[in-house]
Amino acid sequence: MERREFLTAGAGLALALAGASCSLRERAAKQRPNILFIFSDDHAVQSIGACGSVINTTPNIDRLAGEGVTFDRCFCANSICAPSRASILTGKHSHANGKKTNGDTFDIGQTLFPALMQQAGYATALIGKWHLRAEPRGFDHWEILPGQGSYYNPDFMTAEGTVRREGYVTEIITDRSLDWLRNRPGPERPFLLMCQHKAPHRVWAPGPGQLDLYREGEIPEPETLFDTWDDRVEMLKENEMTIARHLMYDYDLKVPGLNRPDALGRDFKNPEYARMTPAQRDRWDAAYKQENDAFRSMNLSGKALVRWKYQRYIKDYLRCVAAVDESVGRLLDYLDETGLAGNTIVVYSSDQGFYLGEHGWYDKRWMYEESFRMPFLIRWPGHAAAGTRTAALSQNIDFAPTFLDAAGIRIPGEMQGMSLLPLLRGRTPGGWRDALYYHYYEKGEHNVPPHEGARDRRYKLIHYYEQDLWELFDLETDPRELHNRYRDPAYGDIAARMHTTLDRLKKQYAVPEE
Ligand code: CA
């Protein structure tokens, strides 16, 4: 269905509501879909079964793929936590919503899709990670983690004050979300619930229920675990996000007392351990002690040491993902049990991707595929063609227009994204976007230089503007992005075309020069 038809349907509903009797209005309101937005932090598509993972399974997230549509080319506008969240709430690129870095102040007074839904009569709730340094607006109910939040016995900020809840964060956020669904005021009203997990963000602290997963065997390594960053811009070699040199023993790898700092001379304490109850600590120690003792006695070095660190890192990451997947299962089961599933849009997404050892890295930020891509799976019975995929280019600025469109609410002209609803039926409308704009601004941790770029269906152009250096990748012949073709004469025409594309996108989105 074309976007225009959806808008017409929404306008028609509004007209009908204006003239309808109370009971009719209630009935029409009931037909507006509920939206359950299940969101996680740093969950890369390489660790989602339905997206082709070779390192884990996610049976519950995969249910959404089987019953809905998987977006295989969904990307963020800026691969870092708070800016991605700001783009989702506003439907705008970072320069337009003002949240370019995690440290920037976010203007909470600007147009936010949850506030528009609340005004239109939706019951709205936000539970979990928020990370925008401003009191949430547009929610009837909110309880959020302060900042990054904690995995164990997390604090939650609410309108009434801060409370500490004992337990594991992913389970608590799920419990609180289910609790709100069960007891939400005005159950005849459609709802928007944003269930936003902390996991699997660093420091990848698994819950008691997942600590023993992956105990046996090894997780396959990515092809580029030992990338030496040749044939690309020189600054790549100055990155500070390597598994080899920058993961800290105590903080990240859960091996305390080694007195072997990382390349920057750091080895902070793992912040979760200090928060645990004695019983939680016993459980944690029992899970890691034997492996840690063996590690200490082996005195590994070189590639063997990197391999050990990779296994510890990826196993903890996947343990955190497993709890998120369980959460999705519990929420979907609730919708089934209560009969809400038929009229509820369920989305699973995460604020950006992540390096799971690719290029030798953890973390995100660079415009390379692993951290640029986002998971986006959507189920809407009767509207989204079950078990289908789309390769149309989509971006997190599209989420707000999509949700408003589904709710029959006019999409504000200031939003820069487009409703994805037309894609749900498996047909890409003529004139759909042919390229995406990206811009990473932060100068800080991990030493990633600011850069911007354009990606079309096959090529990617990146500009490190402070150094005025360029990269051009051919994603068809070089999907791992190991060879910069920018100065390759064979790619001269492509480079020129991608320059034009980038200029056009910057004009379209009114991007100021940095
Ligand atoms: Ca994140």
Side-chain angles (χ1 to χ4, degrees), residues 55-56 168 200 203-207 210-220 243 247 252-254 287-288 291 307-323 356:
I55 57 174
N56 69 331
Y168 185 64
V203 294
W204 317 296
Q210 292 79 34
L211 273 166
D212 292 327
L213 294 177
Y214 308 108
R215 179 76 46 216
E216 303 299 325
E218 301 213 322
I219 307 293
I243 287 173
L247 284 177
D252 294 306
L253 295 168
K254 292 90 182 180
Y288 290 112
E291 272 182 19
R307 292 198 153 105
W308 190 93
K309 289 181 178 178
Y310 167 73
Q311 291 297 327
R312 173 57 62 88
Y313 157 59
I314 196 66
K315 286 182 175 181
D316 280 344
Y317 180 93
L318 295 178
R319 289 163 182 147
C320 293
V321 167
L356 306 184

Side-chain angles (χ1 to χ4, degrees), residues 467-498:
Q467 298 79 9
D468 196 24
L469 292 172
W470 296 84
E471 286 183 324
L472 175 70
F473 294 102
D474 181 340
L475 299 165
E476 196 170 295
T477 62
D478 180 26
R480 306 274 178 262
E481 296 165 284
L482 301 175
H483 305 289
N484 178 12
R485 305 295 187 192
Y486 189 71
R487 303 219 170 272
D488 183 340
Y491 283 83
D493 290 347
I494 305 291
R497 200 183 76 208
M498 289 304 290

